[in-house]
C-alpha cells in the first residue's frame, strides 16, 4: 500500500497493490481518493460481483464514487492516524475524561468528537504521545465494542513524530497489524493526484451519519474484498427483498445478497440465518409478517458463526426466538448476546422482552410437528468448523450456506461443494433440491454428478 496525504486540505490517495481474492483468482490493484465530501475508487476493490451498478469503466477497470457509509468510515480512520493535529485544530471538541485502564495499565486520556465519530485518546506518560486511540463502536456480532489503534515505534519525520507501527484490535481481537516502511514529508505530488472526475463528483454521496454507520462491516469486509460499496448495504442500488415459496411450507427471502429461510412447522416458524445486521432483519421480518402474519418464530438456526449470516440475530431474539448454533459456539454466543447494545441503531423494541437463549448443536438437532420434521446436522467442510446443514425429509430438501449457493447450473466441483455431497452420502440422505443463505433453489443430482465425476479423474 502507498498512501499520499495532503493534510492541509484533507486529501488522501491510497494505492492498494497485490490484494487477494479477485474474481478470476488474480490479485487486486486499485486506488482510492478521499476528500472531506467525496470518495473515488478506481480498480476492482471487491470480489465475486460486488462492484456496484453505478460503476463506470476507466482505462479498462471499474471505477465508482464511494457510498456515504464508506466515506464516513474512511474519514474517521484517517482522523485516527492524525489525531493530535485534529485536536489542535478543533480544541472546542476536546474534553476531559477519566483515566483509562487497559490490560492493567492506566493512561491519562481525553475525548475528541469529530464529525465522523468520537475518540478516546490515551497518552503514554513517558513520551506524552498517543499510545492508544479508541472508538466505542457497534459490532453486529460482538455487540457494544471498543475499537483500538495502538501506536508504536514513534520516529522523527521532518521535525514531527510519526508512529511506524499501528496495531488494531476489536475487544482485544486482532483486526490489522500495519507497519510503515518509509514516511517522507513534503514530497512532490502530481497535480492531478487527488482529482475526481467532475461528473462523478457532482453526484457523489456525502458522508453518512456516524451514529448509523456500520464501521466494522465496512472495515473488515473491505480488507477481505467482500464489501459491496453501497449505502443500501444489503444489496445493490435499487434492489428490494421479496419472499418466495420454495416448497409447500418453506419460504426464502431473495433479492438482496443474503437470504433468510422460514420453515412453517405448523404452530410456529423456524428461521435459518439472520444476515448482516438487525436492519436487514427488520426488513426480512416485515416480509415474514406479510406471509405468515403473527405466527411466532420459535427458533433461529445460524448455520455458522460468520457475521454476514448472524449479525441480525438480536431482532429475532426480540421476537422470542431461541438461537441454535453449531458445535463449540454456545458459550461464545451466550457471552456476545449478553453484551449491551446501546449503540445498535436497529436494536429490538425495548417494550418487548429480550431474553437470549442459546442451544448448541453437538451433532444433530431435530424438531417434529405432526408430519413435518426439520433436522440440522453438523458437517465437515473447509469453510467453517461449526457448519450446520439443514434437512427436511418429506420435501427431500437440504439447506446450506456459503458452501453452495444453489440456483445457477453447476459446471465445476470445488472443495466446498464436494463437502456437501460427502455429508449427504455420510448421512444417507436422498435430497432432490438444496436452498439456503445465498442464491435460490438448486438441483442436487446435477451437483452430485459434477462432484463425483471430478473425483474420478
Amino acid at each position: 500500500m502507498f498512501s499520499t496525504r495532503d493534510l492541509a486540505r484533507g486529501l488522501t490517495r491510497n494505492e492498494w497493490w497485490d490484494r487477494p481474492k479477485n474474481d478470476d483468482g488474480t490479485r487486486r490493484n486499485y486506488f482510492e481518493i478521499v476528500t472531506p465530501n467525496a470518495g473515488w475508487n478506481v480498480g476492482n476493490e471487491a470480489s465475486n460481483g460486488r462492484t456496484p451498478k453505478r460503476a463506470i469503466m476507466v482505462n479498462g477497470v471499474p471505477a465508482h464514487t464511494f457510498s456515504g457509509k464508506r466515506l464516513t468510515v474512511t474519514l474517521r480512520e484517517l482522523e485516527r492516524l492524525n489525531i493530535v493535529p485534529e485536536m489542535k485544530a478543533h480544541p472546542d471538541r476536546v474534553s476531559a475524561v477519566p483515566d483509562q485502564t487497559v490490560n492493567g495499565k492506566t493512561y491519562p486520556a481525553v475525548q475528541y468528537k469529530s464529525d465522523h465519530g468520537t475518540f478516546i485518546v490515551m497518552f503514554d506518560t513517558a513520551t506524552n504521545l498517543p499510545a492508544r486511540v479508541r472508538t466505542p463502536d457497534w459490532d453486529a456480532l460482538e455487540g457494544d465494542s471498543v475499537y483500538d489503534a495502538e501506536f508504536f515505534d514513534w520516529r522523527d519525520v521532518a521535525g514531527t513524530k510519526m508512529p511506524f507501527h499501528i496495531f488494531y484490535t476489536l475487544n482485544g481481537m486482532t483486526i490489522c497489524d500495519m507497519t510503515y516502511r518509509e514516511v517522507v514529508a513534503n514530497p512532490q505530488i502530481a497535480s492531478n493526484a487527488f482529482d475526481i472526475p467532475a461528473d462523478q463528483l457532482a453526484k457523489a454521496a456525502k458522508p453518512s451519519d456516524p451514529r448509523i454507520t456500520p464501521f466494522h462491516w465496512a472495515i473488515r469486509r473491505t480488507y477481505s474484498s467482500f464489501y459491496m460499496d453501497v449505502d443500501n448495504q444489503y444489496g445493490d442500488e435499487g434492489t428490494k427483498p421479496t419472499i418466495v415459496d420454495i416448497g409447500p411450507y418453506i419460504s426464502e427471502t431473495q433479492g438482496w445478497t443474503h437470504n433468510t429461510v422460514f420453515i412453517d412447522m405448523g404452530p410456529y416458524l423456524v428461521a435459518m440465518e439472520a444476515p448482516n445486521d438487525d436492519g436487514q432483519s427488520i426488513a426480512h421480518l416485515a416480509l415474514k409478517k406479510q406471509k405468515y402474519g403473527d405466527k411466532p418464530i420459535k427458533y433461529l438456526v445460524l448455520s455458522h458463526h460468520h457475521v454476514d449470516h448472524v449479525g441480525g440475530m438480536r431482532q429475532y431474539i426480540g421476537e422470542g426466538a431461541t438461537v441454535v448454533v453449531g458445535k463449540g459456539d454456545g458459550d461464545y454466543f451466550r457471552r456476545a448476546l449478553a453484551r449491551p447494545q446501546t449503540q445498535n441503531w436497529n436494536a429490538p423494541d425495548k417494550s418487548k422482552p429480550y431474553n437470549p437463549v442459546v442451544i448448541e448443536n453437538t451433532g444433530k438437532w431435530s424438531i417434529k410437528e405432526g408430519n413435518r420434521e426439520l433436522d440440522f446436522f453438523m458437517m465437515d467442510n473447509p469453510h467453517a468448523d461449526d457448519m450446520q446443514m439443514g434437512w427436511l425429509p418429506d420435501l427431500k430438501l437440504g439447506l446450506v450456506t456459503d458452501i453452495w449457493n444453489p440456483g445457477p447450473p453447476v459446471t465445476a466441483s470445488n472443495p466446498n461443494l464436494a463437502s456437501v455431497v460427502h455429508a449427504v452420502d455420510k448421512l444417507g440422505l436422498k435430497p432432490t433440491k438444496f436452498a439456503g443463505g445465498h442464491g435460490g433453489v438448486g438441483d442436487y443430482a446435477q451437483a452430485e454428478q459434477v462432484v463425483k465425476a471430478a473425483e474420478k479423474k
Side-chain angles (χ1 to χ4, degrees), residues 336-350:
L337 291 169
R339 291 195 185 107
Q341 47 179 322
T342 61
Q343 298 180 82
N344 182 3
W345 57 95
N346 290 309
D349 185 345
K350 291 182 180 179

Side-chain angles (χ1 to χ4, degrees), residues 6-267:
D6 183 336
L7 296 174
R9 295 191 293 162
L11 306 176
T12 300
R13 179 188 178 101
N14 292 325
E15 301 178 29
W16 298 89
W17 303 322
D18 203 32
R19 300 288 291 163
K21 293 184 178 179
N22 207 346
D23 292 337
D24 59 5
T26 60
R27 310 292 280 186
R28 295 179 295 123
N29 299 307
Y30 63 96
F31 70 85
E32 55 187 6
I33 294 169
V34 187
T35 79
N37 296 303
W40 176 240
N41 186 100
V42 178
N44 187 4
E45 91 280 22
S47 65
N48 299 319
R50 291 180 177 85
T51 301
K53 291 178 182 177
R54 68 180 182 280
I56 62 173
M57 297 302 291
V58 173
N59 298 325
V61 297
H64 60 86
T65 53
F66 278 22
S67 65
K69 290 177 179 177
R70 179 178 176 184
L71 183 56
T72 290
V73 171
T74 307
L75 289 170
R76 189 190 78 168
E77 293 310 305
L78 290 171
E79 286 177 330
R80 191 188 300 266
L81 299 175
N82 194 45
I83 196 66
V84 171
E86 294 285 347
M87 292 192 295
K88 285 185 174 181
H90 304 283
D92 56 311
R93 298 184 175 194
V94 181
S95 58
V97 293
D99 290 355
Q100 305 288 302
T101 301
V102 182
N103 298 329
K105 186 173 182 179
T106 300
Y107 302 89
V110 297
Q111 177 179 273
Y112 173 62
K113 287 190 174 183
S114 83
D115 291 338
H116 312 111
T118 299
F119 300 88
I120 303 296
V121 185
M122 307 179 211
F123 292 92
D124 184 336
T125 55
T127 65
N128 294 325
L129 294 168
R132 185 184 295 257
V133 180
R134 168 172 291 181
T135 47
D137 287 348
W138 173 251
D139 181 80
L141 182 55
E142 288 277 305
D144 281 1
S145 300
V146 291
Y147 186 49
D148 286 356
E150 294 181 75
F151 294 142
F152 304 97
D153 192 15
W154 288 88
R155 304 182 195 177
D156 184 86
V157 178
T160 189
K161 294 291 186 180
M162 290 286 297
F164 274 60
H165 181 199
I166 305 169
F167 185 62
Y168 294 88
T169 59
L170 179 76
N171 299 336
M173 298 179 292
T174 300
I175 300 298
C176 178
D177 192 349
M178 183 170 68
T179 300
Y180 291 120
R181 288 201 298 265
E182 183 181 16
V183 178
V184 177
N186 303 315
Q188 289 291 330
I189 300 174
S191 60
N192 64 349
F194 305 111
D195 286 355
I196 299 174
D199 62 325
Q200 298 296 309
L201 183 60
K203 54 189 176 184
K206 298 297 186 284
S208 64
D209 184 339
R211 295 170 298 178
I212 56 171
T213 295
F215 285 96
H216 292 280
W217 177 260
I219 289 168
R220 299 206 293 277
R221 302 285 284 186
T222 300
Y223 280 145
S224 65
S225 85
F226 290 146
Y227 182 59
M228 178 175 276
D229 187 11
V230 291
D231 280 318
N232 177 33
Q233 186 179 337
Y234 314 126
D236 212 335
E237 289 105 336
T239 59
K240 293 182 179 180
T242 59
I243 190 163
V244 177
D245 290 340
I246 58 173
Y249 55 90
I250 181 170
S251 304
E252 179 180 80
T253 63
Q254 296 179 3
W256 281 341
T257 59
H258 295 62
N259 306 336
T260 297
V261 178
F262 292 102
I263 303 109
D264 185 353
M265 297 300 294

Side-chain angles (χ1 to χ4, degrees), residues 271-413:
M272 174 186 169
E273 312 297 42
N276 296 334
D277 71 2
D278 287 308
Q280 183 160 354
S281 290
I282 289 170
H284 284 183
L285 286 166
L287 292 172
K288 169 264 172 190
K289 187 173 182 66
Q290 171 187 312
K291 173 72 178 178
Y292 297 104
D294 292 328
K295 182 172 286 194
I297 301 172
K298 188 172 183 179
Y299 299 103
L300 168 67
V301 182
L302 303 175
S303 66
H304 61 298
H305 68 281
H306 293 169
V307 66
D308 58 322
H309 294 285
V310 309
M313 57 190 166
R314 291 169 181 84
Q315 278 288 338
Y316 289 86
I317 295 167
E319 294 293 317
T322 291
V323 180
V324 181
V325 299
K327 186 176 181 179
D329 286 351
D331 287 344
Y332 172 80
F333 275 87
R334 292 183 190 102
R335 288 196 304 271
L337 291 169
R339 291 195 185 107
Q341 47 179 322
T342 61
Q343 298 180 82
N344 182 3
W345 57 95
N346 290 309
D349 185 345
K350 291 182 180 179
S351 68
K352 296 180 179 180
Y354 182 82
N355 301 304
V357 177
V358 177
I359 294 172
E360 182 176 327
N361 181 359
T362 58
K364 178 184 178 182
W365 179 81
S366 298
I367 53 173
K368 190 170 184 178
E369 297 290 343
N371 62 352
R372 299 180 184 183
E373 179 180 343
L374 173 62
D375 305 314
F376 275 88
F377 300 96
M378 298 305 302
M379 60 171 289
D380 294 328
N381 72 100
H383 186 70
D385 290 342
D386 56 349
M387 185 67 74
Q388 301 184 77
M389 180 176 72
W391 173 237
L392 291 154
D394 60 325
L395 301 185
K396 297 185 177 180
L397 176 68
L399 300 169
V400 291
T401 294
D402 284 349
I403 49 178
W404 180 20
N405 299 337
V410 179
T411 58
S413 183

